[in-house]
Amino acid sequence: MMTPIYLDHNATTAVHPTVVDAMLPWLTQHYGNPSSVHWAGRAANAALEKAREQVASLLNASVNDIIFTSGGTEGDNFAIKGTALQRAEQGRHLITTAVEHPAVLETCRALERQGWQVSYLPVDSQGNLDLAQLESNIQPQTQLISVMWANNEIGNIYPLAEISVIAKARGVCLHSDAVQVAGRLPIDVQATGLDLAVISGHKFGAPKGVGALFVKSGNRLEPLMHGGSQERHRRGGTSNLASIVGLGKACELAGVEMQQNAVHVAQLRERLQQGIRRGIRGVFFHGAQQSDHRLPNTLNASFAGISGESLLMSLDLKGIAVSSGSACSSGSLEASHVMTALGVAPQLAQSSIRFSLGPTNTAAEIDYVIDELAAAVSRLRQISPFENF
Ligand SMILES: *Cc1c(COP(=O)(O)O)cnc(C)c1O
């Protein structure tokens, strides 16, 4: 009856067919350990280093500055704890924002429990940071500023190049969780002036469980994974070779397809937003108003009077996958920390839905979603104990 429609690309994406093809030989024929010295190891190591070049190229980083990880969460933990442990003697203060992914927020909270001080910068009602406030939070003890490049829930893009100028002037190390930007918009870690940046494969067509951390040379991090001499002693453990090859291929493909994908999803996102505006009353859109200050694929809206969870389930019955709040906090009925940081009233925050589009979505899918959404919203509002629309 219905074909499934997937509008949850900020949670994860399908592995690109070309990426699967690139990976398969490294699971079957070429199963060597990249650390082994014999022919099997040498072939594996060559593939590992090719992938490193592909990742470095997407980020405009030096190959030696790329460390493979198990994904975004490990990358953020490594960047933040690695810096904190390395520099604990010099001061114990960090700056981050109230809208970070839990991979950053919970890492900072863990450090707080160990005696670190953390400033969580607020955002305004559109999700924007006040850079003067950021600067005024820098203290002599500050060791790290961590600001995400783009937000996973509302899509806001943060001005890392401007933040970098502030961080540099005060001699503070700058980390960015670039998970939502990698493979979707251009990233130039050198031009942007980052010291640390994190990407995750499964958000742009590589498998789950692989990612990379950029560490600008000269920045020392205390490793989290002690073990063998892999990744130049920075992360022990046998390399996840096939997935790393997949990450490299996804980076290469992104270099080619990124721009055209961004135009495509931006058009669909516009179509979705217009359709919602036209067909549904009592809608509030969240995040930056200017569309070029948001990821091209992300739309977050609240539908007054109904719960996001019920709407999500109604759409699910029609084969439409979206998310309410952040994927990581669904299951709990607490409003998302991002909605709270925007100052959205709890009831409206509960009704927020995130649509995150991908390159394989079509205009026909978006039109179907608009119709089903309007039907679900009016049905749910009829039984809503709150207001009438
Ligand atoms: C998905 C995501 C992460 C976590 O990445 P994993 O590879 O799933 O651990 C971190 N930060 C942001 C912004 C994300 O969207």
Side-chain angles (χ1 to χ4, degrees):
M1 172 194 105
M2 76 212 170
T3 33
I5 298 178
Y6 187 78
L7 300 184
D8 204 10
H9 292 83
N10 288 8
T12 196
T13 64
V15 180
H16 195 297
T18 310
V19 169
V20 175
D21 289 345
M23 289 173 64
L24 281 176
W26 301 98
L27 293 164
T28 51
Q29 288 145 269
H30 309 300
Y31 47 83
N33 184 328
S35 303
S36 298
V37 189
H38 47 62
W39 53 267
R42 286 197 305 274
N45 191 56
L48 182 73
E49 293 313 315
K50 182 182 170 197
R52 201 184 306 280
E53 280 166 24
Q54 289 165 318
V55 174
S57 163
L58 185 71
L59 308 181
N60 193 28
S62 304
V63 279
N64 287 339
D65 297 352
I66 300 297
I67 304 176
F68 291 116
T69 66
S70 65
T73 301
E74 183 190 330
D76 285 330
N77 270 268
F78 194 177
I80 297 168
K81 288 182 199 162
T83 302
L85 292 174
Q86 181 72 32
R87 304 170 71 133
E89 303 303 309
Q90 286 148 261
R92 292 180 166 233
H93 177 244
L94 313 172
I95 298 174
T96 188
T97 80
V99 295
E100 297 296 311
H101 189 275
V104 168
L105 283 180
E106 294 303 321
T107 300
C108 289
R109 292 200 182 111
L111 286 169
E112 277 188 287
R113 291 193 290 274
Q114 292 170 31
W116 287 72
Q117 308 254 284
V118 182
S119 304
Y120 299 92
L121 299 171
V123 293
D124 67 16
S125 61
Q126 289 186 29
N128 299 316
L129 282 171
D130 177 350
L131 297 192
Q133 191 173 25
L134 184 149
E135 184 160 21
S136 71
N137 271 275
I138 299 175
Q139 310 166 10
Q141 293 76 28
T142 309
Q143 299 307 323
L144 182 71
I145 298 172
S146 179
V147 177
M148 68 197 328
W149 200 317
N151 184 275
N152 46 302
E153 290 191 38
I154 52 177
N156 279 40
I157 296 170
Y158 292 100
L160 267 303
E162 287 172 58
I163 294 169
S164 157
V165 171
I166 297 170
K168 281 223 172 65
R170 306 290 294 270
V172 181
C173 188
L174 178 61
H175 164 55
S176 185
D177 174 336
V179 171
Q180 289 293 342
V181 180
R184 296 179 177 174
L185 294 173
I187 292 183
D188 184 332
V189 290
Q190 298 188 60
T192 311
L194 296 178
D195 297 295
L196 300 150
V198 162
I199 71 170
S200 172
H202 75 98
K203 303 291 173 85
F204 66 106
K208 295 162 186 63
V210 67
L213 168 64
F214 159 77
V215 185
K216 191 176 158 194
S217 59
N219 286 280
R220 290 184 59 82
L221 296 187
E222 177 65 27
L224 298 188
M225 290 296 212
H226 297 96
S229 61
Q230 291 91 353
E231 301 299 301
R232 302 162 89 225
H233 298 275
R234 293 170 298 184
R235 188 207 188 244
T238 301
S239 309
N240 180 8
L241 184 64
S243 293
I244 289 170
V245 166
L247 177 66
K249 183 52 88 173
C251 288
E252 184 192 298
L253 287 173
V256 179
E257 297 176 356
M258 179 162 51
Q259 199 176 358
Q260 143 198 347
N261 287 345
V263 170
H264 176 70
V265 294
Q267 279 167 351
L268 294 184
R269 197 259 313 266
E270 197 58 27
R271 190 182 186 98
L272 179 61
Q273 185 159 10
Q274 296 296 332
I276 292 173
R277 268 215 185 92
R278 232 178 274 128
I280 308 174
R281 278 171 298 143
V283 182
F284 300 85
F285 294 104
H286 301 297
Q289 294 292 300
Q290 282 166 277
S291 58
D292 62 341
H293 289 187
R294 261 188 298 150
L295 288 172
N297 77 325
T298 306
L299 184 66
N300 192 314
S302 282
F303 301 86
I306 56 182
S307 98
E309 290 293 318
S310 331
L311 186 51
L312 182 151
M313 288 187 278
S314 299
L315 293 173
D316 186 23
L317 288 172
K318 301 290 177 186
I320 301 165
V322 297
S323 92
S324 77
S326 122
C328 304
S329 63
S330 65
S332 74
L333 271 177
E334 251 171 62
S336 102
H337 68 283
V338 175
M339 289 299 128
T340 306
L342 296 176
V344 178
Q347 210 162 25
L348 206 55
Q350 294 259 0
S351 81
S352 97
I353 291 282
R354 176 187 72 186
F355 305 88
S356 51
L357 316 189
T360 54
N361 288 131
T362 64
E365 288 181 331
I366 297 302
D367 293 345
Y368 174 80
V369 170
I370 293 165
D371 289 347
E372 291 300 338
L373 187 62
V377 167
S378 75
R379 219 169 31 242
L380 289 167
R381 277 180 181 161
Q382 276 163 17
I383 56 169
S384 160
F386 306 114
E387 300 154 69
N388 285 321
F389 285 85

